[in-house]
Amino acid sequence: MKESIKIKNLGPLRNIEIDNIKPLTVLIGESGSGKSLLMKTLILFRYIYKMLNIRWYLRNSNVNKSRFKLSMGNLLTPELKNYFKNKQLEVFYSVEISGRTHSVVYRNGSIDRKTTDSKIPNEDLIFIKESWISEMRDIIPEWAAYGNMPKKRNLDFYFQETLNDFMDATNIDSDIRLDYLGLSLQIEKKSDNKKFLIKPLDGSYSPIEWKYSSSGVQTSSSIVTLIDYFSTQFSFKDAIGRSIINYLYESDTLKSYKPELEPMDMKKIIHIHIEEPELNLFPSAQCKLFDVMALKAFKTVASDREIRLIVATHSPYFVNYLNVLMHQDKENRGAVKPEDMAVYRLYNGTLQPLMATDDSGIPFVDTYDLTEQMESIMKEYESLTSR
């Protein structure tokens, strides 16, 4: 499967083109350069494509009545609505499978129905789960300490998605190892409430409430919890039941349902979008976290699914560590094949690829430009001390 996206005239994103979105895609750039905006646009169009796959599964199964309507007005978050007011905005999203291309195109202020009305045959159908891990995830430990979340509160959409997935994950798992920090996150479940504790693996001190742990522990433990959940424990059977089987019963269309493809036989993909995984972590811990992420997403993942990660970061340490992930081969360590990885610097509204090969043909991530600030600091220091 080859997935691509092109974006023109979206806020700070002047001309963005990713011809082949790899299983691991990393974006680095300055604050305000549009990294999160790019990911939010991508997850939106991935979601639309998910809905198209469900619609065509039903139609291919003789269920022509469908509740899955595609209206950008209903799909856009308040943040994206401001950007999508621009009539010059164009987004071209496509998925190529077995030589066939299926697209979602947005231009002239609306979705091009010619693209979304094009049939997706059974052999190309995918069941997709979208997950967003928000930079606001440091709020979760504080809120989780009080049991049920506050009601009648307008939450940021992306944070709400992160929170919902996290609560689902901790309904299943009660002991999440954070080996990169020598800790574990433990969940004690009592009635409808949960108590979250951080425990040292060596028993050097008593467990403490999660909300009292360091900020780096709080922000990174939710990432590990969610990747572990989606890699091995997320139930596609339940998700398919909610989105397809329940609909057949509720819409009274079960009698006309004549599937040529069992829903569980569709290819299954989980897209995980992560904002700033390095938040509040020391550089060495950032690298260890990335190792754990790669291990869970690409080496110990369940055989019935594929995980795809896209990460927005400010950290050159995080990006540099990709060179280790490409070449290490230890069984209990993370690894990503060079052909499954893409790294881009977002600069001046465009993407600069950072993947390269050396004189021997060995692939590496070229992070030379990311050292500019360090060199600038040293030059300023030298100018001050040489007087």
Side-chain angles (χ1 to χ4, degrees), residues 266-285:
M266 285 190 281
K267 181 180 175 67
K268 304 169 190 67
I269 294 179
I270 300 175
H271 294 130
I272 305 177
H273 311 72
I274 308 175
E275 289 186 295
E276 300 181 42
E278 74 277 6
L279 280 176
N280 305 318
L281 287 174
F282 194 72
S284 59

Side-chain angles (χ1 to χ4, degrees), residues 248-267:
L248 294 172
Y249 282 101
E250 293 170 1
S251 61
D252 196 28
T253 55
L254 192 59
K255 292 180 181 179
S256 61
Y257 177 58
K258 298 178 181 179
E260 296 178 358
L261 173 72
E262 290 300 319
M264 282 297 291
D265 290 338
M266 285 190 281
K267 181 180 175 67

Side-chain angles (χ1 to χ4, degrees), residues 7 83 88 119 195 228 245:
I7 303 171
Y83 290 109
Q88 303 303 313
K119 180 177 180 177
K195 184 176 182 180
D228 188 56
I245 306 304

Side-chain angles (χ1 to χ4, degrees), residues 44-107:
L44 168 64
F45 280 79
R46 281 174 161 174
Y47 178 80
I48 293 172
Y49 188 67
K50 169 185 177 175
M51 292 296 101
L52 288 177
N53 275 265
I54 295 174
R55 174 196 285 179
W56 281 108
Y57 174 80
L58 292 170
R59 288 187 180 181
N60 296 345
S61 302
N62 200 42
V63 179
N64 293 316
K65 179 181 177 183
S66 175
R67 67 178 177 181
F68 300 107
K69 308 294 183 183
L70 298 177
S71 169
M72 289 301 284
N74 295 329
L75 294 172
L76 293 174
T77 62
E79 175 187 354
L80 288 182
K81 281 181 180 178
N82 290 323
Y83 290 109
F84 274 70
K85 290 176 183 178
N86 180 8
K87 297 298 183 182
Q88 303 303 313
L89 169 63
E90 295 182 352
V91 182
F92 299 81
Y93 172 83
S94 67
V95 173
E96 181 182 324
I97 302 175
S98 302
R100 293 177 292 270
T101 301
H102 311 289
S103 303
V104 180
V105 176
Y106 180 91
R107 56 190 165 198

Side-chain angles (χ1 to χ4, degrees), residues 210-350:
W210 188 29
K211 68 174 182 175
Y212 297 131
S213 65
S214 73
S215 56
V217 172
Q218 293 181 23
T219 58
S220 63
S221 54
S222 55
I223 293 176
V224 174
T225 300
L226 287 168
I227 293 181
D228 188 56
Y229 168 61
F230 287 121
S231 295
T232 59
Q233 300 176 30
F234 174 77
S235 172
F236 276 101
K237 182 178 180 180
D238 291 345
I240 288 172
R242 290 190 297 268
S243 59
I244 295 178
I245 306 304
N246 287 356
Y247 168 72
L248 294 172
Y249 282 101
E250 293 170 1
S251 61
D252 196 28
T253 55
L254 192 59
K255 292 180 181 179
S256 61
Y257 177 58
K258 298 178 181 179
E260 296 178 358
L261 173 72
E262 290 300 319
M264 282 297 291
D265 290 338
M266 285 190 281
K267 181 180 175 67
K268 304 169 190 67
I269 294 179
I270 300 175
H271 294 130
I272 305 177
H273 311 72
I274 308 175
E275 289 186 295
E276 300 181 42
E278 74 277 6
L279 280 176
N280 305 318
L281 287 174
F282 194 72
S284 59
Q286 294 179 26
C287 298
K288 291 177 182 178
L289 172 62
F290 212 161
D291 199 297
V292 171
M293 290 165 54
L295 177 67
K296 293 181 179 296
F298 304 119
K299 290 186 73 173
T300 60
V301 60
S303 60
D304 68 337
R305 67 199 62 192
E306 177 185 346
I307 302 292
R308 291 183 164 230
L309 297 180
I310 182 165
V311 176
T313 181
H314 292 120
S315 172
Y317 303 104
F318 208 76
V319 174
N320 262 307
Y321 194 70
L322 291 168
N323 287 306
V324 175
L325 291 180
M326 275 194 289
H327 299 292
Q328 71 180 357
D329 57 3
K330 294 182 180 179
E331 185 177 349
N332 62 340
R333 296 282 298 278
V336 185
K337 297 177 182 178
E339 60 268 27
D340 291 336
M341 180 190 303
V343 188
Y344 301 97
R345 182 186 185 188
L346 195 52
Y347 180 76
N348 198 25
T350 62

Side-chain angles (χ1 to χ4, degrees), residues 82-185:
N82 290 323
Y83 290 109
F84 274 70
K85 290 176 183 178
N86 180 8
K87 297 298 183 182
Q88 303 303 313
L89 169 63
E90 295 182 352
V91 182
F92 299 81
Y93 172 83
S94 67
V95 173
E96 181 182 324
I97 302 175
S98 302
R100 293 177 292 270
T101 301
H102 311 289
S103 303
V104 180
V105 176
Y106 180 91
R107 56 190 165 198
N108 300 322
S110 63
I111 295 175
D112 185 341
R113 298 296 171 178
K114 291 181 180 179
T115 60
T116 56
D117 287 345
S118 179
K119 180 177 180 177
I120 304 177
N122 281 337
E123 55 266 33
D124 292 356
L125 290 173
I126 307 170
F127 192 87
I128 304 166
K129 164 64 181 176
E130 307 294 348
S131 174
W132 184 274
I133 303 182
S134 169
E135 63 180 344
M136 295 173 62
R137 59 189 177 274
D138 59 333
I139 303 174
I140 296 177
E142 185 71 28
W143 281 24
Y146 296 102
N148 295 327
M149 300 301 110
K151 297 180 180 179
K152 297 182 180 180
R153 177 85 176 266
N154 291 324
L155 301 175
D156 173 83
F157 171 82
Y158 299 97
F159 170 70
Q160 185 68 65
E161 290 294 295
T162 304
L163 179 61
N164 292 344
D165 285 340
F166 179 83
M167 299 309 286
D168 288 343
T170 53
N171 284 338
I172 295 174
D173 203 347
S174 59
D175 189 357
I176 297 101
R177 290 182 65 91
L178 311 174
D179 295 276
Y180 62 101
L181 296 173
L183 303 169
S184 67
L185 173 62

